[in-house]
C-alpha cells in the first residue's frame, strides 16, 4: 500500500515539476504581483527534475543521427547524448554561477543567493523547454540527413535560438524583480497583471548595474556553454570517426563551427 | 452522391473560413481534416498521373495521392511543438486552439485550391509536357495554391492579430518553421510525379538525404566549380 502511495507521490512530483515549468513559460510565475517578495515563487528541485527530463528528451532527438548512420546504428551515442545534454547545462551553470553571485553582490543588487538560484532555474527551464520543443524538428532532420556539418549547424542554431529566448526571459524577469518591491505599496497596472513571460524591453530599469552584470554574465554563460559543449563532445557523432564517449582535448568550439560551415560550402 | 455533396459543402465552408459575412459557415475539425485528406489526395493522384498515356501508372497515382496529405500533415506535426512553446512563451497560449484552427483551415484550404488546379495539371500532362518542365509546373501550382491560401490565413488570423499584435510575429515565425520543415519533407517523400523511365517507387532510392545540403552543393558547384562530393 505504501509503495503504491510512494509511486503515486513520485508521479505527482514529476507532474508538478512540469506544471511549474508550464506556468513559468506562460508568465504566471513572473507577474509583478507574484514577484513582490523579491523572488520567483518556484520550487527549485521540482523544476530541476522537469529540466533534466527535457534535456534527456532533447538528447534523444539529437542522438537520432547516430541511429541512422551509414555504418550502422550506434545506440551508445544516443545514450551519451541523453546523459551529456543535462550535463552541458548544469556544468556550465556550476562554472559560471559563483562569479555571477560575487559580482551581483559587488554591484549592490538586492537579489539574495536563493533568488538568484530560483531565477536561473526558471531561465534554464525556459531554455530547455524551447529546446525540447524543437526536438521533433531536429529528430526529423537527423533521421534523413547524412551531412554531418549540416546537423552540427542545425543543432547550434537550435541551441542559439532557445538561448536567445531564455536571455529575453531572464532580463525581463530581472526587471520585474527589481521594480516589484518598489511598487508594493502602489496599485498594480491592470495591463501588467497578466503579462506574458516576455514583453518588449523598455528603458525603465532602476538597477542598471545589475542588468549590465546579467548581460555580461549571459555572454559568459554562452561562451562557457559553447566550450563546455566542445569539451563534452561528441554529441552528434561524426560518422567517419569511431564512437568514443569523449574526444581528446584539442581546438575549440568556434573553430569547429567555422570548420563545419567551411565543410558545408566546399 | 450525398457524400460528394457533403464534402463539397465542407470544402466551401473551409474556403469561407474567417469570412466577415454573417452567414459564413464555420468548418468543424473533422471537416477540415476530411477536406485535407480527400482534396490533397485528389491533387496527388492527378500529380502522379504523369506519363504516356496519362494515368498509365495507377500505383504512382496511389503513392502520390497518399504523399500530398502526408507531406502537409507531417510538416505540420513536426513544427507544431516548437510553435506551441513559442506561443506559450510569448503569452498567447490561451489563443492556441484558435491559432491551430486557423492553421489547419489554411492547410485544408490549400488542398482545395490545389484540387481546383488539378484539371489544369491534367490538361498540361495530356498536352505532352516533358518530365522536368512537369516538375516545375507542379512547383508553380503549389506556389499558386500557397499564395492563394494566404487569404484564408489572413482572414482567420485577423481577429487574433487585432486582439494581440504579437500574433503577427508568431505567424511569420510559423511560416518560416513550416517552410523549413516542409521543404525537407517534400524532398524526403519524393518522387511525387515519378520519372516514367524509372520504376515506380514510394521512396526514391538514395532519397534519404537533405534538401538544403543538395541545394548548397549545387549552388556552390555553380559558383566555384563542381566539388568532389557533388560530382560523385
Amino acid at each position: 500500500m505504501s509503495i503504491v502511495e510512494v509511486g503515486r507521490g513520485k508521479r505527482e512530483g514529476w507532474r508538478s515539476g512540469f506544471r511549474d515549468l508550464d506556468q513559468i513559460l506562460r508568465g504566471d510565475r513572473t507577474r509583478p504581483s507574484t514577484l513582490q517578495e523579491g523572488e520567483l515563487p518556484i520550487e527549485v528541485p521540482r523544476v530541476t527534475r522537469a529540466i533534466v527530463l527535457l534535456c534527456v528528451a532533447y538528447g534523444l532527438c539529437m542522438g537520432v543521427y547516430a541511429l541512422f548512420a551509414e555504418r550502422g546504428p550506434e545506440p551508445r551515442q544516443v545514450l551519451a547524448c541523453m546523459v551529456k545534454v543535462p550535463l552541458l547545462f548544469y556544468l556550465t551553470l556550476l562554472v559560471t554561477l559563483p562569479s555571477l553571485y560575487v559580482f551581483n553582490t559587488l554591484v549592490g543588487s538586492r537579489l539574495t543567493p536563493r533568488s538568484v538560484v530560483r531565477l536561473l532555474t526558471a531561465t534554464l527551464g525556459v531554455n530547455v523547454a524551447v529546446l525540447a520543443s524543437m526536438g521533433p524538428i531536429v529528430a526529423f532532420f537527423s533521421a534523413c540527413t547524412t551531412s554531418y556539418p549540416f546537423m552540427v549547424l542545425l543543432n547550434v542554431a537550435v541551441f542559439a535560438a532557445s538561448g536567445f529566448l531564455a536571455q529575453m526571459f531572464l532580463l525581463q524577469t530581472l526587471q520585474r524583480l527589481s521594480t516589484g518591491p518598489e511598487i508594493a505599496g502602489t496599485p498594480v497596472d491592470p495591463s501588467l497583471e497578466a503579462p506574458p513571460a516576455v514583453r518588449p524591453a523598455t528603458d525603465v530599469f532602476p538597477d542598471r548595474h545589475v542588468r549590465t552584470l546579467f548581460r555580461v554574465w549571459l555572454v559568459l554563460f554562452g561562451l562557457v556553454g559553447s566550450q563546455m559543449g566542445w569539451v563534452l563532445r561528441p554529441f552528434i557523432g561524426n560518422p567517419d570517426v569511431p564512437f568514443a564517449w569523449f574526444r581528446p582535448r584539442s581546438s575549440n568550439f568556434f573553430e569547429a563551427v567555422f570548420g563545419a560551415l567551411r565543410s558545408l560550402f566546399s | 452522391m450525398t457524400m460528394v455533396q457533403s464534402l463539397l459543402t465542407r470544402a466551401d465552408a473551409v474556403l469561407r473560413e474567417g469570412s466577415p459575412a454573417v452567414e459564413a459557415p464555420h468548418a468543424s475539425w473533422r471537416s477540415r481534416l476530411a477536406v485535407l485528406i480527400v482534396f490533397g489526395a485528389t491533387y496527388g493522384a492527378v500529380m502522379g498521373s504523369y506519363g504516356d498515356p496519362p494515368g498509365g501508372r495507377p500505383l504512382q497515382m496511389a503513392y502520390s495521392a497518399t504523399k500530398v496529405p502526408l507531406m502537409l500533415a507531417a510538416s505540420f506535426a513536426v513544427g507544431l511543438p516548437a510553435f506551441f512553446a513559442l506561443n506559450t512563451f510569448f503569452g498567447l497560449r490561451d489563443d492556441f486552439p484558435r491559432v491551430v484552427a486557423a492553421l489547419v483551415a489554411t492547410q485544408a484550404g490549400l488542398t482545395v485550391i490545389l484540387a481546383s488546379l488539378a484539371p489544369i495539371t491534367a490538361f498540361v500532362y495530356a498536352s505532352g509536357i516533358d518530365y522536368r518542365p512537369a516538375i516545375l509546373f507542379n512547383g508553380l501550382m503549389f506556389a499558386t495554391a500557397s499564395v492563394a491560401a494566404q487569404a484564408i490565413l489572413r482572414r482567420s488570423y485577423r481577429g487574433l492579430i487585432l486582439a494581440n499584435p504579437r500574433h503577427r510575429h508568431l505567424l511569420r515565425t510559423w511560416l518560416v518553421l513550416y517552410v523549413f520543415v516542409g521543404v525537407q519533407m517534400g524532398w524526403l517523400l519524393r518522387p511525387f510525379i515519378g520519372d516514367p523511365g524509372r520504376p515506380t517507387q514510394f521512396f526514391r532510392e538514395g532519397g534519404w538525404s537533405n534538401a538544403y545540403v543538395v541545394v548548397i552543393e549545387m549552388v556552390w558547384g555553380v559558383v566555384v566549380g563542381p566539388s568532389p562530393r557533388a560530382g560523385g
Side-chain angles (χ1 to χ4, degrees):
Chain A
M1 188 67 181
S2 61
I3 292 173
V4 174
E5 276 172 9
V6 167
R8 204 175 290 158
K10 273 186 180 173
R11 258 205 315 276
E12 187 49 40
W14 285 106
R15 263 192 222 142
S16 52
F18 280 104
R19 220 172 16 239
D20 285 0
L21 199 51
D22 182 54
Q23 285 177 344
I24 293 169
L25 267 176
R26 294 175 73 137
D28 290 350
R29 296 291 174 103
T30 48
R31 287 181 186 171
S33 56
T34 52
L35 295 178
Q36 288 193 356
E37 296 297 319
E39 60 183 26
L40 267 162
I42 60 163
E43 277 218 30
V44 174
R46 237 164 44 181
V47 178
T48 302
R49 271 190 296 209
I51 291 173
V52 171
L53 208 67
L54 286 175
C55 283
V56 171
Y58 184 79
L60 179 68
C61 296
M62 207 176 180
V64 168
Y65 182 75
L67 287 181
F68 288 86
E70 281 174 3
R71 294 204 301 192
E74 182 52 89
R76 285 178 299 174
Q77 187 63 57
V78 183
L79 184 68
C81 244
M82 288 163 73
V83 175
K84 284 179 185 181
V85 174
L87 272 180
L88 169 68
F89 282 104
Y90 280 101
L91 287 178
T92 308
L93 201 59
L94 198 69
V95 171
T96 54
L97 190 58
S99 53
L100 174 70
Y101 173 64
V102 169
F103 283 99
N104 179 55
T105 317
L106 274 180
V107 295
S109 161
R110 284 165 294 192
L111 294 171
T112 61
R114 199 170 75 154
S115 51
V116 169
V117 168
R118 285 182 174 200
L119 176 61
L120 294 184
T121 304
T123 306
L124 207 56
V126 169
N127 193 342
V128 167
V130 176
L131 190 71
S133 76
M134 294 198 214
I137 298 175
V138 170
F140 167 61
F141 275 91
S142 297
C144 55
T145 300
T146 49
S147 169
Y148 176 65
F150 180 87
M151 285 318 301
V152 171
L153 294 176
L154 179 66
N155 274 288
V156 169
V158 166
F159 269 93
S162 57
F164 177 73
L165 290 177
Q167 67 96 17
M168 279 171 74
F169 170 85
L170 175 63
L171 294 177
Q172 182 66 57
T173 310
L174 198 60
Q175 180 169 342
R176 285 181 192 158
L177 275 172
S178 305
T179 51
E182 284 182 7
I183 59 170
T186 57
V188 177
D189 179 357
S191 67
L192 289 173
E193 196 36 41
V198 286
R199 171 189 285 275
T202 63
D203 293 323
V204 187
F205 190 68
D207 230 342
R208 209 158 40 84
H209 294 309
V210 180
R211 192 172 163 91
T212 309
L213 171 69
F214 269 83
R215 274 183 195 278
V216 173
W217 181 79
L218 279 167
V219 174
L220 181 72
F221 187 85
L223 290 173
V224 173
S226 308
Q227 188 58 21
M228 188 65 79
W230 180 252
V231 171
L232 291 175
R233 79 195 190 284
F235 280 84
I236 305 167
N238 188 340
D240 299 329
V241 182
F243 170 78
W245 291 100
F246 295 101
R247 299 253 188 262
R249 269 182 290 170
S250 64
S251 186
N252 64 58
F253 169 80
F254 302 99
E255 210 174 299
V257 170
F258 183 68
L261 266 172
R262 213 173 34 198
S263 138
L264 192 62
F265 286 98
S266 61
Chain B
M1 195 61 194
T2 45
M3 207 174 133
V4 174
Q5 270 176 349
S6 153
L7 258 173
L8 289 175
T9 314
R10 287 173 183 204
D12 186 72
V14 164
L15 286 176
R16 290 172 199 275
E17 189 93 22
S19 170
V22 179
E23 68 275 17
H26 185 73
S28 69
W29 282 96
R30 278 175 61 190
S31 292
R32 291 184 193 123
L33 205 63
V35 167
L36 179 87
I37 294 169
V38 174
F39 285 82
T42 306
Y43 188 80
V46 173
M47 199 178 182
S49 70
Y50 180 78
D52 191 19
R57 294 175 300 157
L59 192 59
Q60 180 63 54
M61 288 175 70
Y63 284 166
S64 303
T66 314
K67 283 178 184 182
V68 170
L70 185 65
M71 177 182 74
L72 295 172
S75 306
F76 187 79
V78 169
L80 201 62
F83 192 53
F84 174 73
L86 288 176
N87 270 274
T88 306
F89 186 62
F90 285 98
L92 304 172
R93 168 77 160 270
D94 293 340
D95 294 339
F96 199 66
R98 280 174 69 200
V99 165
V100 175
L103 297 179
V104 175
T106 307
Q107 295 241 46
L110 174 81
T111 60
V112 177
I113 299 164
L114 269 179
S116 75
L117 297 172
I120 304 172
T121 306
F123 170 70
V124 169
Y125 281 2
S127 56
I129 190 173
D130 283 337
Y131 180 57
R132 290 213 168 268
I135 296 176
L136 281 178
F137 180 79
N138 274 287
L140 183 68
M141 293 295 102
F142 267 93
T144 308
S146 303
V147 171
Q150 295 298 310
I152 304 171
L153 187 60
R154 215 173 301 151
R155 274 205 312 259
S156 313
Y157 244 84
R158 190 183 293 141
L160 289 164
I161 292 172
L162 278 175
N164 195 330
R166 270 197 298 267
H167 276 294
R168 184 178 283 124
H169 303 295
L170 264 293
L171 178 61
R172 285 182 192 148
T173 309
W174 166 253
L175 290 175
V176 170
L177 207 63
Y178 183 72
V179 169
F180 179 66
V181 175
V183 165
Q184 175 62 14
M185 196 63 82
W187 176 258
L188 196 68
L189 289 173
R190 77 196 194 285
F192 283 84
I193 302 169
D195 186 346
R198 294 168 76 172
T200 303
Q201 299 163 304
F202 194 84
F203 287 120
R204 179 70 52 80
E205 267 170 28
W208 215 236
S209 61
N210 185 307
Y212 298 101
V213 176
V214 172
V215 170
I216 288 169
E217 283 179 353
M218 274 169 64
V219 172
W220 201 244
V222 170
V223 175
V224 296
S227 73
R229 251 191 316 158

